[in-house]
Amino acid sequence: MKTVVQVKLEPSACQADALAATLRACNRAANRASVVAFESGEHRRNGLHHRVYRDLRESSDLSAQPVVLTIKKVCDAYATLKANIRAGNLGPKGSKRRNKAESKPISFREDAAQAFDDRCLSWNTDGRTVSIWTTAGRLKAIGFVCSEGAAKMIADHRQGESDLVFRDGSWYLFATCDIPAPPVTQPTDWLGVDLGIVNIATTSDGQVMSGRRLERYRKRMRALTAKLQAKKTKNAKRRLKAVKRRERRFATDTNHCISKTLVQTAERTSRGIALEDLTGIRERVKAKHDQRYRLHSWAFAQLGAFVQYKADRAGVAVVHVDHRNTSRQCSACCTHKANRVDQATFACRACGMTMHADDGGTSRPKAGGGSRNIRHRAADAWQRGAANRPSAA
């Protein structure tokens, strides 16, 4: 199981300047290689290497291995673009977004991340230092900070390349670690999780993770954003970027807390986790103008990814079920659109059962809302082999 460990570097002023100059040199070289790849149509690593290697070595301050890694970055970028086009993520053929992506070479920011392998970067986890190649020579004993668990993970399981990242005025290294995943325990039951905006997650046990705090925060950020956009100054634009990053961090922290709670609950009770398959929901749902911001800022994909990797590390099974009619179905009798009275209320038109639309209450096990229906569907999906079922412990 691959995971990424982030450590924060503590370079001196001179070391930080050398790191910044290295990123600029690598990304300028990547832009030159990208133009050649676009014009020639050569996106294979070996083919592009023969076309641009000599030129990049002569026209930049990069040594051999950084040039090789830069060419690899360009090829990976074009491979990602091709995959997004094939998956339809940039729209159908002829769409404005797809035409824009296909009509010009991929460009790299001057401070974009750069990968370094073991020839350019070495770790000393005991001394909490790294040695890294730069255009100003090799910098040794650059300190970094991280938790004890992260340092041990890097020492024991780090593999492949590490990315040098400059973000919000600080320097980071992202190390890829390959950790042996524990065997997935055969679940005795399922914890159904209904995802939403008002209530970010509601479990079949009746536990509700409300999104009110996050909504209030986003409301304040929207008001601040509107004021800054009206100013149209350079400082206002810088502040807008900072506000956007702060809001993203707040939402990410919320999703981390919720996913941790869900996985711990399932692990403690020897159950699996059942989630809705919400792939492509933004394209399917038609929202009013004043609701689009709430819909598009709903980070359900991130929450699902957090649940998945935390569950993998804990040996908890995760299954995705069909999301359709989970909050309109009465598990005691029928499914009808009118059963969903409003956002919070479920009232079956056939049997008269009323309850909360998401959790379904706890008084009647067979009559439930969205999360209970998700729980019931999970057992069928697991038995049919709809999920990639690992071997049981």
Side-chain angles (χ1 to χ4, degrees):
M1 181 183 66
K2 292 189 182 298
T3 186
V4 177
V5 178
Q6 172 183 313
V7 302
K8 184 177 182 179
L9 298 179
E10 295 183 326
S12 64
C14 293
Q15 291 172 336
D17 290 341
L19 293 176
T22 302
L23 283 190
R24 286 194 299 270
C26 290
N27 287 299
R28 288 171 181 172
N31 284 327
R32 289 196 293 272
S34 179
V35 171
V36 174
F38 177 78
E39 294 177 348
S40 64
E42 181 59 79
H43 300 157
R44 295 178 300 111
R45 185 175 174 184
N46 288 340
L48 187 60
H49 180 96
H50 289 301
R51 290 176 180 268
V52 302
Y53 176 80
R54 185 178 298 276
D55 175 63
L56 295 183
R57 287 284 283 124
E58 293 174 353
S59 62
S60 69
D61 296 329
L62 303 181
S63 59
Q65 192 62 17
V67 168
V68 172
L69 295 173
T70 298
I71 295 172
K72 179 178 179 293
K73 178 168 75 168
V74 174
C75 294
D76 290 343
Y78 277 98
T80 301
L81 175 62
K82 184 177 180 180
N84 284 327
I85 292 173
R86 187 167 52 245
N89 296 334
L90 299 178
K93 186 175 182 179
S95 64
K96 182 177 179 180
R97 186 180 179 191
R98 179 168 172 176
N99 287 340
K100 183 179 179 180
E102 293 179 318
S103 63
K104 59 182 180 180
I106 294 176
S107 61
F108 300 86
R109 304 186 321 273
E110 288 201 337
D111 60 348
Q114 176 65 30
F116 290 94
D117 60 12
D118 289 341
R119 294 184 181 182
C120 303
L121 175 69
S122 59
W123 295 78
N124 180 2
T125 53
D126 293 332
R128 295 291 196 277
T129 61
V130 295
S131 171
I132 187 170
W133 176 92
T134 69
T135 54
R138 194 170 188 93
L139 301 182
K140 299 182 179 180
I142 302 178
F144 69 86
V145 291
C146 65
S147 66
E148 290 293 335
K152 188 176 187 306
M153 192 178 299
I154 292 173
D156 296 340
H157 304 293
R158 185 186 63 82
Q159 288 190 354
E161 301 169 353
S162 301
D163 291 340
L164 176 65
V165 178
F166 180 70
R167 187 179 63 195
D168 298 337
S170 299
W171 291 93
Y172 300 90
L173 278 174
F174 289 75
T176 302
C177 298
D178 193 0
I179 305 173
V184 176
T185 304
Q186 180 67 27
T188 58
D189 198 355
W190 294 92
L191 179 69
V193 181
D194 186 55
L195 303 179
I197 298 177
V198 176
N199 296 320
I200 298 177
T202 306
T203 70
S204 53
D205 292 344
Q207 186 178 11
V208 178
M209 289 82 164
S210 175
R212 292 180 180 177
R213 181 166 172 259
L214 182 57
E215 281 290 298
R216 288 197 299 266
Y217 186 84
R218 282 178 171 156
K219 186 176 180 179
R220 292 200 305 270
M221 293 299 104
R222 285 198 299 271
L224 178 58
T225 297
K227 291 180 181 179
L228 292 172
Q229 287 175 335
K231 292 182 180 296
K232 299 180 180 179
T233 62
K234 287 186 177 180
N235 188 50
K237 291 179 181 179
R238 286 194 294 267
R239 288 285 298 140
L240 278 171
K241 291 181 181 179
V243 167
K244 183 179 180 180
R245 290 192 296 265
R246 193 192 317 164
E247 182 178 345
R248 188 188 306 122
R249 290 195 299 269
F250 190 91
T252 299
D253 179 70
T254 301
N255 283 336
H256 269 301
C257 294
I258 292 174
S259 59
K260 182 178 180 180
T261 300
L262 294 175
V263 172
Q264 286 180 341
T265 301
E267 183 181 18
R268 187 177 64 252
T269 55
S270 300
R271 290 182 288 178
I273 298 176
L275 299 172
E276 299 170 281
D277 184 3
L278 297 175
T279 304
I281 191 171
R282 286 194 176 95
E283 289 73 22
R284 295 193 302 267
V285 174
K286 296 185 181 299
K288 296 181 180 179
H289 186 272
D290 58 345
Q291 296 176 330
R292 290 173 188 168
Y293 181 86
R294 297 180 70 195
L295 176 65
H296 289 280
S297 60
W298 182 29
F300 62 89
Q302 185 188 66
L303 176 59
F306 288 171
V307 170
Q308 184 69 62
Y309 94 79
K310 287 181 171 64
D312 289 342
R313 294 178 66 174
V316 174
V318 176
V319 67
H320 291 82
V321 304
D322 190 352
H323 71 283
R324 288 175 292 185
N325 296 320
T326 53
S327 295
R328 296 174 178 173
Q329 177 182 353
C330 175
S331 55
C333 56
C334 66
T335 300
H336 196 281
K337 183 177 181 179
N339 287 350
R340 186 72 181 260
V341 178
D342 53 36
Q343 187 278 327
T345 308
F346 176 92
C348 181
R349 292 297 184 262
C351 66
M353 175 59 65
T354 60
M355 63 199 72
H356 192 281
D358 293 333
D359 65 65
T362 57
S363 59
R364 185 176 174 184
K366 282 195 173 182
S371 58
R372 287 182 175 270
N373 289 326
I374 293 169
R375 172 195 169 196
H376 296 156
R377 296 181 185 186
D380 294 336
W382 185 259
Q383 291 174 359
R384 289 194 310 266
N388 293 326
R389 186 186 311 175
S391 58

